[in-house]
């Protein structure tokens, strides 16, 4: 084996290791929405091994996913080679993963942002898409706390305003 081939093989090995250990869920789905790749993040948060999900329908494994809605969301990814996004403000989660911080966490489920990206084959066609799942629970909780605090502050300001008599008010 040449040095260049060995270097290429080493880099490929590193890439595979990174895909398994990155703190982002990676799922490759074919046009029938069968799972072809399931990384370590997905295994850890779903409790399902890659061997248990490979070749199985996403919708059969996760009945909480609205099949018609998700197919519609993924259609432009397959047909137009465009990315699609699902954000937690629109849909708190796609896959109902439990919050993995049960003691410090205040939410039952993981809030998720999702990116659907086309995987263009050597023929130029998109036969598979990559679904990237980001855990945004901390961001969601922070925003919810901020919004709640803003409501409380607004209510307090209204109460203070009601009790405050303007200094330039003339007695009737």
């Amino acid at each position: 084996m040449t040095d260049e081939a060995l270097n290429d093989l080493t880099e490929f090995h590193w890439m595979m290791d990174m895909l398994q250990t990155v703190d982002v869920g990676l799922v490759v789905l074919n046009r029938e929405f069968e799972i072809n790749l399931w990384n370590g993040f997905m295994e850890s948060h779903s409790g399902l091994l890659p061997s248990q999900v490979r070749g199985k329908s996403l919708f059969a494994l996760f009945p909480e996913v609205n099949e018609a809605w998700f197919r519609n969301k993924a259609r432009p990814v397959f047909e137009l080679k465009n990315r699609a996004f699902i954000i937690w403000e629109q849909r708190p989660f796609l896959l109902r993963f439990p919050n993995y911080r049960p003691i410090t966490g205040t939410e039952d489920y993981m809030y998720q942002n999702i990116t659907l990206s086309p995987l263009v084959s050597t023929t130029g066609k998109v036969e598979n898409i990559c679904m990237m799942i980001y855990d945004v629970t901390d961001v969601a909780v922070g925003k919810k706390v901020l919004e709640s605090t803003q409501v409380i502050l607004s209510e307090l300001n209204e109460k203070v305003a009601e009790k405050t008599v303007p200094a330039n008010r003339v007695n009737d």
Side-chain angles (χ1 to χ4, degrees):
M1 184 177 283
T2 67
D3 285 344
E4 185 176 342
L6 184 58
N7 286 339
D8 289 347
L9 186 60
T10 300
E11 285 182 27
F12 179 76
H13 175 74
W14 290 340
M15 296 264 273
M16 293 290 89
D17 193 37
M18 286 187 293
L19 290 176
Q20 283 303 317
T21 59
V22 69
D23 200 23
V24 172
L26 296 174
V27 181
V28 172
L29 301 167
N30 64 21
R31 286 184 172 271
E32 289 76 40
F33 296 92
E34 296 166 334
I35 297 167
N36 290 325
L37 179 124
W38 191 257
N39 78 339
F41 177 99
M42 297 302 294
E43 180 182 338
S44 175
H45 292 286
S46 71
L48 298 170
L49 297 170
S51 60
Q52 294 174 293
V53 301
R54 194 172 295 114
K56 301 230 169 72
S57 166
L58 177 73
F59 309 116
L61 291 168
F62 298 94
E64 69 268 19
V65 178
N66 180 316
E67 183 173 348
W69 176 85
F70 190 75
R71 284 181 181 275
N72 190 50
K73 192 75 174 171
R75 184 177 305 124
V77 182
F78 281 112
E79 294 176 4
L80 303 175
K81 302 178 185 174
N82 287 339
R83 291 189 305 167
F85 303 93
I86 304 165
I87 59 173
W88 73 267
E89 288 98 340
Q90 296 169 333
R91 186 174 292 256
F93 57 84
L94 181 68
L95 306 179
R96 191 183 314 255
F97 290 163
N99 180 1
Y100 64 96
R101 296 181 209 145
I103 295 172
T104 60
T106 58
E107 302 297 323
D108 293 332
Y109 299 104
M110 175 194 295
Y111 283 79
Q112 300 161 359
N113 280 350
I114 296 171
T115 302
L116 302 175
S117 293
L119 297 174
V120 181
S121 71
T122 55
T123 64
K125 296 188 180 197
V126 177
E127 298 300 330
N128 295 279
I129 62 173
C130 178
M131 178 168 64
M132 293 170 269
I133 300 177
Y134 303 90
D135 178 0
V136 293
T137 306
D138 290 342
V139 172
V141 168
K143 185 170 182 184
K144 287 170 65 175
V145 167
L146 177 63
E147 288 172 352
S148 174
T149 303
Q150 288 172 328
V151 167
I152 292 168
L153 184 59
S154 178
E155 290 171 356
L156 287 172
N157 282 336
E158 287 177 16
K159 287 180 183 179
V160 168
E162 289 172 2
K163 293 180 181 183
T164 305
V165 178
N168 62 354
R169 184 171 177 186
V170 178
N171 290 335
D172 294 328

